[in-house]
Amino acid sequence: MASDQPDLAVQLFGRTFRTPVWAASGCFGYGREFAGVLDLSRVGAICVKGTSIEPWTGNPGIRVVETPGGMLNAIGLQNPGVDHFLTVDWPWLQEQGATVIVNIVGRTVEEYVAVARRLEGTGVAAVELNISCPNVKEGGMAFGTTPGSAAAVTAAVRKATTLPLIVKLSPNVADVVAIARAVEDAGADGLSVINTLQGMSIDIRRGRPHLGNVFGGLSGPAIKPVALRMVWQVAGAVKVPVIGVGGIMSGEDAAEFLMAGASAVQVGTACFIDPRAPLTIAEELARFMGEHGFRNVRALVGAARG
């Protein structure tokens, strides 16, 4: 980047991220499908797919359906398990020069703890505690809907790892601020806000729900106003950094989340439309910043809060 262009680098969790635009977990896999169209080392960070202690098979199909405002998915956190990640995916991601955050999942607190322990000392940038996936019957959102359960799993994982601990919050709650404060008090270093909203779609020709799981997680532009509102609320209530997630499709969308108080953003559904979305959106963000006199990301964070 030329010296007269805005500086997109952000300092979070004791390290420098190249840009504040990261790839969201669940929409970027482990990066292999995208390596042919973009340089993974140029992405601010890659939050890899939810990773469990043992392989998970996920939900029965149909697992993805489009809606007019976004996408419904009920993948069910299918993944090959942490041992596969450590022996196959992590060495490959290191070869690509990628900055990697591992989204971790479990059916019990003990399973979350076991995954975190396996990642200790590997060199990944952080772990993202997924207590917000609405598409599994055990674990996931079950831990993220009350301050007590969210704090309990956060505290257990905090004890198990020295890695930066980001907790991904659910929007499917009555009071996201109460949960944000609880996990901050339990040792979270940062918060991802938000995961998907629960929704459904019906195939009226078959007279049946589209998704095999009936309900799924809604992502994409339809949820952006909800996500932005929750980022604003949470960023005003906690001291740890907030990572904005939800319907970010452009550099101007990213600027909105940063102005609301997010310190970085994650891009998910946009990657299905433009596989280069994390880079495209970062480039658009830099252009917006240059046109409006923001010399660095720090100047943009919270700018709308007065």
Side-chain angles (χ1 to χ4, degrees), residues 169-171 173-181 193 229-230 233-234:
L169 302 185
S170 172
V173 297
D175 186 354
V176 69
V177 169
I179 295 171
R181 286 174 169 154
V193 183
R229 183 260 295 178
M230 289 190 167
Q233 288 179 300
V234 172

Side-chain angles (χ1 to χ4, degrees), residues 50-259:
T51 301
S52 53
I53 191 65
E54 301 288 346
W56 286 11
T57 57
N59 293 324
I62 296 172
R63 306 202 294 190
V64 176
V65 62
E66 288 188 55
T67 78
M71 182 177 73
L72 278 167
N73 92 85
I75 304 298
L77 296 173
Q78 178 185 353
N79 78 92
V82 69
D83 286 342
H84 184 278
F85 170 76
L86 289 173
T87 57
V88 178
D89 298 305
W90 175 228
W92 180 81
L93 284 161
Q94 287 179 291
E95 290 175 4
Q96 311 310 308
T99 300
V100 175
I101 295 170
V102 182
N103 184 283
I104 67 174
V105 298
R107 295 186 177 90
T108 65
V109 171
E110 291 74 21
E111 289 186 2
Y112 280 101
V113 167
V115 179
R117 284 180 174 152
R118 294 284 287 115
L119 295 168
E120 185 72 1
T122 58
V124 301
V127 293
E128 182 179 62
L129 188 63
N130 185 343
I131 56 171
S132 48
C133 176
N135 302 320
V136 291
K137 293 179 180 177
E138 298 174 282
M141 197 173 74
F143 289 106
T145 53
T146 70
S149 59
V153 67
T154 301
V157 173
R158 175 73 290 161
K159 291 179 182 176
T161 182
T162 61
L163 288 167
L165 174 58
I166 304 167
V167 181
K168 191 168 187 176
L169 302 185
S170 172
N172 303 296
V173 297
D175 186 354
V176 69
V177 169
I179 295 171
R181 286 174 169 154
V183 299
E184 180 185 38
D185 291 344
D189 298 304
L191 304 172
S192 295
V193 183
I194 57 176
N195 206 318
T196 55
L197 286 153
Q198 268 195 311
M200 71 173 295
S201 174
I202 291 177
D203 182 343
I204 58 173
R205 290 162 187 81
R206 290 193 306 122
R208 303 291 299 167
H210 270 115
L211 295 173
N213 195 55
V214 181
F215 301 149
L218 178 64
S219 61
I223 74 168
K224 180 190 151 193
V226 178
L228 192 63
R229 183 260 295 178
M230 289 190 167
V231 165
W232 180 283
Q233 288 179 300
V234 172
V238 301
K239 294 183 175 63
V240 296
V242 172
I243 315 301
V245 198
I248 296 167
M249 308 296 286
S250 69
E252 293 194 0
D253 288 341
E256 275 193 84
F257 277 80
L258 295 168
M259 286 184 172

